[in-house]
Amino acid sequence: MFGLGLPEMGIIAVVAILIFGPKKIPELGNALGKTLRSFKEGVSQSEDEAVEKDKEEEGQPKV
């Protein structure tokens, strides 16, 4: 995972807890999850629209 081992991930976790506090970490994780979910939905929606557009263009004769 990006060349990070267990010790490096542990250090990152400790620094995050020191900066944000243990009560704020779950809230940040939740917000990050929602953001990633909406990003994935937006990407898949734009991919679907691109596929539909390609199908429509294939059906029309080229001038």
Side-chain angles (χ1 to χ4, degrees):
M1 181 178 181
F2 305 114
L4 295 176
L6 191 57
E8 290 87 0
M9 290 181 8
I11 292 171
I12 292 171
V14 168
V15 171
I17 290 173
L18 289 174
I19 292 174
F20 298 112
K23 292 181 181 178
K24 196 75 168 173
I25 297 292
E27 294 174 17
L28 292 173
N30 190 13
L32 180 63
K34 287 180 181 179
T35 302
L36 289 175
R37 190 177 314 120
S38 65
F39 179 75
K40 285 181 181 180
E41 288 173 359
V43 168
S44 67
Q45 183 180 13
S46 66
E47 287 177 350
D48 292 343
E49 290 174 358
V51 168
E52 289 177 12
K53 184 178 178 183
D54 288 343
K55 287 181 181 179
E56 288 176 3
E57 289 177 356
E58 287 177 0
Q60 296 176 355
K62 295 183 180 177
V63 178

